[in-house]
Amino acid sequence: MGPGVQDSERAVVAIGVFDGVHRGHRRVVERVVDIARERGARGVAVTFEPHPTEVVRPGSHQPRLSTSRRRTELLAGLGVDEVCVLEFTLELSRMSPGEFVQTVLADRLRAAAVVVGEGFTFGHHAAGDVETLRTLGEKYDFTVEAVPLLDGVSSSGIRERLVAGDVEGATAALGRPHRVEGVVVRGYQRGRQLGFPTANVETPPHTAIPADGVYAGWLECVPVANLPALYEGERWPAAISVGTNPTFEGVPRTVEAYALDRDDLELYGVHVAVDFAARLRGNTRFDSIEALVAQIHADVAETRRLTG
């Protein structure tokens, strides 16, 4: 770094994919904010889009714990001055550790300090690790701090919990309920016919959706560009169904949320978020509509108890 560059012109940088922005990720970013304040520098969180595995291993499609917009929102909420979303390209994936540090950290961000998780790897074939970064930091005039990992907290572990339907475990690792987002589309309207109108949420491809079953949680309207902003910021306790609904044949896998006591909502075309608090039960085939409705009443009562 050239002479005369002041700390206020330089950056303290966190680097990671940060999918889900779980409790471990937050420790890294919050450390960046602390150091940036101490040094009078800019705090920057660097993340990547698309997920690196989709470029390095095409077709792998790692289930995503958060949308790019949500991840950026969560990182910004931790107090950094800037969230830098790098386009992860084949060219970027083929950079050596030294090329990545020079191009991104030194030339682009003017890093004064870099904070990563202790298992951090980077560069072509993940050839660089924390010690590599420290060595390069000496060359390019930045310090490196590795934050210890939290036991049992990782994005892959959270995905495994969701596959098992363990949304309580996912909440513990994330530090907040797991969220699924999407636009409300027209479904079969069977819930409306049964007296429980649901928002049928069309999620983005490769969203990490919990196992089939019935859950308690919340439904929230989240404003995004170019979509209706009805009920902006409103949030309701909700009974949530994930799956194909075995009582009715030929139904594709869906995420549906019934906002408790609200049969007046017009949510078609609105972007919503569904937060999962607890799993109530697995999906069951009922022999009659009456039995199904009785179970829905029980699910709503339990949802009310858990979210009240």
Side-chain angles (χ1 to χ4, degrees):
M1 193 65 62
V5 178
Q6 303 299 310
D7 276 354
S8 61
E9 298 173 328
R10 300 185 65 183
V12 181
V13 181
I15 314 173
V17 177
F18 299 132
D19 187 23
V21 192
H22 57 57
R23 289 170 51 230
H25 296 149
R26 292 213 302 274
R27 289 180 69 184
V28 172
V29 178
E30 287 166 353
R31 182 62 185 139
V32 159
V33 172
D34 289 343
I35 297 172
R37 287 174 180 162
E38 290 168 5
R39 298 193 181 191
R42 295 160 31 241
V44 180
V46 174
T47 184
F48 305 94
E49 186 64 29
H51 195 290
T53 58
E54 294 183 22
V55 175
V56 177
R57 295 190 294 276
S60 58
H61 299 312
Q62 188 87 281
R64 302 293 295 274
L65 297 174
S66 53
T67 64
S68 179
R69 183 200 61 79
R70 173 68 168 162
R71 180 166 31 117
T72 300
E73 174 185 80
L74 290 168
L75 290 170
L78 296 175
V80 291
D81 300 295
E82 178 185 349
V83 178
C84 177
V85 182
L86 290 182
E87 182 183 4
F88 197 88
T89 62
L90 204 54
E91 180 184 14
L92 184 64
S93 76
R94 289 172 176 165
M95 282 186 179
S96 69
E99 288 172 325
F100 177 83
V101 166
Q102 180 180 358
T103 302
V104 176
L105 296 179
D107 294 346
R108 179 169 177 174
L109 294 173
R110 294 177 292 177
V114 177
V115 183
V116 294
E118 64 182 7
F120 178 73
T121 59
F122 67 108
H124 191 42
H125 292 315
D129 58 14
V130 173
E131 288 309 311
T132 311
L133 193 59
R134 285 199 173 104
T135 300
L136 290 164
E138 293 174 3
K139 177 179 179 179
Y140 291 103
D141 188 29
F142 60 79
T143 61
V144 174
E145 182 172 325
V147 175
L149 303 178
L150 283 176
D151 287 344
V153 177
S154 68
S155 296
S156 58
I158 293 167
R159 293 186 192 100
E160 291 171 2
R161 289 183 176 97
L162 294 173
V163 167
D166 179 15
V167 295
E168 293 95 333
T171 294
L174 286 165
R176 66 181 182 281
H178 175 60
R179 169 170 289 193
V180 166
E181 296 188 40
V183 177
V184 177
V185 297
R186 291 191 181 275
Y188 292 92
Q189 297 192 325
R190 291 198 176 98
R192 184 175 296 276
Q193 294 165 10
L194 298 175
F196 302 94
T198 59
N200 187 12
V201 184
E202 185 174 70
T203 57
H206 319 306
T207 295
I209 298 173
D212 289 3
V214 177
Y215 299 83
W218 295 271
L219 176 66
E220 180 177 346
C221 291
V222 179
V224 298
N226 303 318
L227 286 175
L230 298 175
Y231 313 105
E232 183 172 336
E234 292 199 45
R235 178 177 170 89
W236 308 281
I240 306 155
S241 174
V242 176
T244 58
N245 196 334
T247 301
F248 301 98
E249 295 181 0
V251 179
R253 193 166 192 256
T254 60
V255 176
E256 298 179 75
Y258 164 62
L260 268 55
D261 306 319
R262 296 301 300 263
D263 59 5
D264 59 333
L265 300 176
E266 295 294 338
L267 293 173
Y268 294 125
V270 174
H271 188 94
V272 299
V274 177
D275 289 339
F276 291 82
R279 191 169 196 256
L280 303 183
R281 60 180 176 86
N283 283 347
T284 305
R285 181 180 178 87
F286 293 91
D287 294 331
S288 68
I289 298 299
E290 291 76 17
L292 171 61
V293 170
Q295 182 60 61
I296 294 173
H297 277 292
D299 296 336
V300 167
E302 183 65 1
T303 296
R304 197 184 307 280
R305 185 185 70 81
L306 291 170
T307 58

